[in-house]
Amino acid sequence: MKNAMAGHTLALGIILFGAGAAQAATATRGGFGALADGTKVEAVTLSNGAGMSARIMTLGATLQSLIVPDRGGRKEDVVLGYDKAQDYLTRPNYFGVSVGRYANRIAKGKFALDGKTYTLATNDGPNSLHGGLKGFDKRMWKIESVSNGSEAKVVLSYVSADGEEGFPGEMKVTATYSLNEQNELKLEYRATTSKPTVLNLTNHAYFNLSGNDTRDVMGNLVTLNAERFTPVDATLIPTGERRAVAGTPFDFRKPAVVGARIRDTRDQQIRYGRGYDHNFIVDGAAGTLRPAARIEEPGSGRVLEMRVTAPGIQFYTGNFLDGTFFGKNNRAYRQGDAICLEPGTFPDAPNHPDFPSARLNLGQTYVNTMVYKFSTK
Ligand code: BGC
């Protein structure tokens, strides 16, 4: 009887798998409410037959929710965010948004390009952060196309005017999200410019793989394929050094528990970051899609593996979340509630000629690709 049952389950499993493989991943358009000024926000939900779905909204080309099954098949949200679009503007924390023109910091809000100095708003102490006062995260993007098939896909676009937030050149940007049946969510940013400029586009998803933010991330096992990172000063601007992670709390070359060394204040870098808030130099050749990071959440069994084309990845443990922000389901988000993995060039690259270049010329196309693959253990 037992064997017969096992055989039955197996057969059913094969049928289900077969059905899943044949079933197309779907992209469904819908609304996501309106902003306080009445502007309607649209959303596209990408779903596959394996139980994953991603909701992307037009405000900020934001990954607003990401449903992933745990090891028991329970489908829960693994990214922080808000239930209402307006909250992304009034309580900005960059939850899941597309960041631009320049993700992370530019020292003192100044950089020079071809002999001219450009001045940006300083919105993070003495520095400029995440594109200034009204970066790409607070702009309305347009849905260019949605498609179904072996992958579900949405292409969003935004045109940034010449001089917007102090940056030169009119910039045309697209963000393409696609979800396949292998539980891979791929995100690709592309941009062109009307004159030489600088840029660093990334996504700022806050991952909490426990599902619906059940537990903090301190027990997560993290791997970062990086032999070196870029140390920062007290205002989180890179000093220019590329420091070996070996022998420091920044060594995640083998899976390590996030909380194990996050309070190791003997390391000045931990003190400056209030934990982890650093750019890691991803091993291997930038421009090729290669493994960069892995998170394993032991409680749910969820695993996220990330491949990137970017030269660096910012590893940030939600150190500035202070419990005053209530997110989805009215949950207070607190320090250590999430992990951000933001692939891009290095922070403040426009002021560091020896960092991978942030420059984009007329006629060139900028591409930054990242793949988030989910599985369970
Ligand atoms: C930065 C943090 C910053 C956060 C804002 C991260 O990319 O590295 O320092 O507080 O974004 O959400």
Side-chain angles (χ1 to χ4, degrees), residues 93-94 104-105 124 129-130 204 206 236 277-278 314 316 320 340 342:
N93 248 301
Y94 304 98
N104 213 287
R105 293 175 177 77
D124 185 67
L129 176 70
H130 293 332
H204 207 300
Y206 284 67
L236 301 182
D277 191 356
H278 294 81
Q314 185 81 8
Y316 170 61
F320 293 101
C340 298
E342 307 152 47

Short mmCIF file of all heavy atoms in Angstrom, two decimals, residues 93-94 104-105 124 129-130 204 206 236 277-278 314 316 320 340 342, ligand 1:
data_model
loop_
_atom_site.label_atom_id
_atom_site.label_comp_id
_atom_site.label_asym_id
_atom_site.label_seq_id
_atom_site.Cartn_x
_atom_site.Cartn_y
_atom_site.Cartn_z
N ASN A 93 12.37 54.97 1.71
CA ASN A 93 13.45 54.13 2.23
C ASN A 93 14.06 53.32 1.12
O ASN A 93 14.82 52.40 1.37
CB ASN A 93 12.90 53.19 3.31
CG ASN A 93 13.45 53.55 4.67
OD1 ASN A 93 14.65 53.53 4.87
ND2 ASN A 93 12.57 53.90 5.59
N TYR A 94 13.64 53.63 -0.11
CA TYR A 94 14.16 52.94 -1.30
C TYR A 94 13.79 51.45 -1.32
O TYR A 94 14.50 50.65 -1.90
CB TYR A 94 15.69 53.14 -1.41
CG TYR A 94 16.07 54.60 -1.42
CD1 TYR A 94 16.49 55.23 -0.25
CD2 TYR A 94 15.98 55.35 -2.58
CE1 TYR A 94 16.81 56.59 -0.25
CE2 TYR A 94 16.29 56.70 -2.59
CZ TYR A 94 16.71 57.31 -1.42
OH TYR A 94 17.03 58.64 -1.42
N ASN A 104 23.81 55.01 -4.58
CA ASN A 104 24.78 55.24 -3.52
C ASN A 104 25.31 56.69 -3.56
O ASN A 104 24.66 57.56 -4.12
CB ASN A 104 25.91 54.21 -3.52
CG ASN A 104 26.38 53.94 -2.08
OD1 ASN A 104 27.04 54.77 -1.49
ND2 ASN A 104 26.01 52.80 -1.53
N ARG A 105 26.48 56.92 -2.98
CA ARG A 105 26.87 58.30 -2.67
C ARG A 105 27.84 58.94 -3.67
O ARG A 105 28.68 58.27 -4.26
CB ARG A 105 27.50 58.34 -1.28
CG ARG A 105 26.48 58.03 -0.20
CD ARG A 105 27.10 57.94 1.18
NE ARG A 105 26.05 57.70 2.19
CZ ARG A 105 25.48 56.52 2.40
NH1 ARG A 105 25.86 55.45 1.72
NH2 ARG A 105 24.51 56.39 3.29
N ASP A 124 22.25 63.52 2.17
CA ASP A 124 22.69 62.52 3.14
C ASP A 124 23.91 63.09 3.86
O ASP A 124 25.05 62.84 3.44
CB ASP A 124 23.04 61.21 2.40
CG ASP A 124 23.39 60.09 3.37
OD1 ASP A 124 22.49 59.64 4.10
OD2 ASP A 124 24.57 59.68 3.40
N LEU A 129 22.95 61.24 -2.15
CA LEU A 129 22.62 59.80 -2.07
C LEU A 129 21.49 59.45 -3.05
O LEU A 129 20.49 60.17 -3.12
CB LEU A 129 22.18 59.45 -0.63
CG LEU A 129 21.71 58.01 -0.37
CD1 LEU A 129 22.86 57.02 -0.46
CD2 LEU A 129 21.02 57.89 0.99
N HIS A 130 21.69 58.34 -3.77
CA HIS A 130 20.64 57.72 -4.57
C HIS A 130 19.93 58.69 -5.54
O HIS A 130 18.70 58.68 -5.65
CB HIS A 130 19.61 57.05 -3.67
CG HIS A 130 20.13 55.86 -2.91
ND1 HIS A 130 21.17 55.08 -3.36
CD2 HIS A 130 19.75 55.31 -1.71
CE1 HIS A 130 21.39 54.11 -2.48
NE2 HIS A 130 20.56 54.22 -1.47
N HIS A 204 17.02 48.36 -5.35
CA HIS A 204 17.26 48.44 -3.91
C HIS A 204 16.30 47.55 -3.12
O HIS A 204 15.73 47.98 -2.10
CB HIS A 204 17.13 49.90 -3.48
CG HIS A 204 17.93 50.28 -2.27
ND1 HIS A 204 17.75 49.68 -1.04
CD2 HIS A 204 18.92 51.18 -2.10
CE1 HIS A 204 18.59 50.22 -0.18
NE2 HIS A 204 19.31 51.14 -0.80
N TYR A 206 14.96 45.05 -0.47
CA TYR A 206 15.34 44.65 0.88
C TYR A 206 14.83 43.22 1.07
O TYR A 206 13.63 43.01 1.24
CB TYR A 206 14.65 45.52 1.93
CG TYR A 206 15.20 46.91 2.13
CD1 TYR A 206 15.11 47.90 1.15
CD2 TYR A 206 15.77 47.26 3.35
CE1 TYR A 206 15.60 49.18 1.37
CE2 TYR A 206 16.25 48.55 3.58
CZ TYR A 206 16.16 49.50 2.59
OH TYR A 206 16.63 50.78 2.82
N LEU A 236 30.61 57.45 4.91
CA LEU A 236 30.37 56.32 4.01
C LEU A 236 30.81 56.57 2.56
O LEU A 236 30.27 55.97 1.62
CB LEU A 236 28.89 55.87 4.07
CG LEU A 236 28.42 55.42 5.46
CD1 LEU A 236 26.97 54.95 5.43
CD2 LEU A 236 29.30 54.32 6.04
N ASP A 277 27.49 48.05 5.45
CA ASP A 277 26.97 49.01 4.48
C ASP A 277 28.12 49.35 3.55
O ASP A 277 28.61 50.48 3.52
CB ASP A 277 26.43 50.26 5.21
CG ASP A 277 25.62 51.17 4.28
OD1 ASP A 277 25.56 50.86 3.08
OD2 ASP A 277 25.07 52.17 4.77
N HIS A 278 28.57 48.34 2.82
CA HIS A 278 29.83 48.44 2.07
C HIS A 278 29.72 47.84 0.68
O HIS A 278 28.96 46.90 0.45
CB HIS A 278 30.94 47.72 2.84
CG HIS A 278 31.29 48.37 4.15
ND1 HIS A 278 30.54 48.16 5.29
CD2 HIS A 278 32.28 49.23 4.49
CE1 HIS A 278 31.06 48.87 6.29
NE2 HIS A 278 32.12 49.53 5.83
N GLN A 314 26.75 46.43 -3.30
CA GLN A 314 26.62 47.02 -1.98
C GLN A 314 25.86 46.04 -1.09
O GLN A 314 24.75 45.60 -1.42
CB GLN A 314 25.86 48.35 -2.07
CG GLN A 314 25.75 49.12 -0.76
CD GLN A 314 27.00 49.93 -0.42
OE1 GLN A 314 27.92 50.04 -1.24
NE2 GLN A 314 27.06 50.49 0.77
N TYR A 316 24.15 45.73 2.40
CA TYR A 316 23.62 46.64 3.42
C TYR A 316 22.58 45.88 4.25
O TYR A 316 21.70 45.22 3.70
CB TYR A 316 22.99 47.85 2.70
CG TYR A 316 22.18 48.78 3.58
CD1 TYR A 316 22.76 49.44 4.66
CD2 TYR A 316 20.82 49.00 3.33
CE1 TYR A 316 22.01 50.30 5.45
CE2 TYR A 316 20.08 49.86 4.11
CZ TYR A 316 20.67 50.51 5.17
OH TYR A 316 19.93 51.35 5.96
N PHE A 320 19.80 51.52 8.96
CA PHE A 320 19.12 52.79 9.25
C PHE A 320 17.61 52.60 9.47
O PHE A 320 16.89 53.57 9.68
CB PHE A 320 19.39 53.81 8.14
CG PHE A 320 20.84 54.23 8.10
CD1 PHE A 320 21.72 53.70 7.16
CD2 PHE A 320 21.34 55.14 9.03
CE1 PHE A 320 23.06 54.09 7.13
CE2 PHE A 320 22.68 55.53 9.01
CZ PHE A 320 23.54 55.00 8.07
N CYS A 340 20.11 44.14 1.77
CA CYS A 340 20.09 44.70 0.41
C CYS A 340 21.36 44.25 -0.30
O CYS A 340 22.45 44.26 0.31
CB CYS A 340 20.06 46.22 0.44
SG CYS A 340 18.61 46.89 1.24
N GLU A 342 22.97 45.42 -3.76
CA GLU A 342 22.76 46.40 -4.83
C GLU A 342 23.94 46.37 -5.80
O GLU A 342 24.98 46.94 -5.51
CB GLU A 342 22.64 47.80 -4.19
CG GLU A 342 21.61 47.90 -3.08
CD GLU A 342 21.94 48.97 -2.05
OE1 GLU A 342 22.28 50.10 -2.44
OE2 GLU A 342 21.87 48.68 -0.85
C1 BGC B 1 23.13 52.78 1.44
C2 BGC B 1 22.76 53.07 2.87
C3 BGC B 1 21.49 53.86 2.88
C4 BGC B 1 20.42 53.06 2.20
C5 BGC B 1 19.16 53.85 2.13
C6 BGC B 1 22.03 51.97 0.83
O1 BGC B 1 22.31 51.75 -0.51
O2 BGC B 1 24.36 52.13 1.32
O3 BGC B 1 23.80 53.78 3.53
O4 BGC B 1 21.10 54.20 4.17
O5 BGC B 1 20.82 52.69 0.91
O6 BGC B 1 18.09 53.03 1.94
#
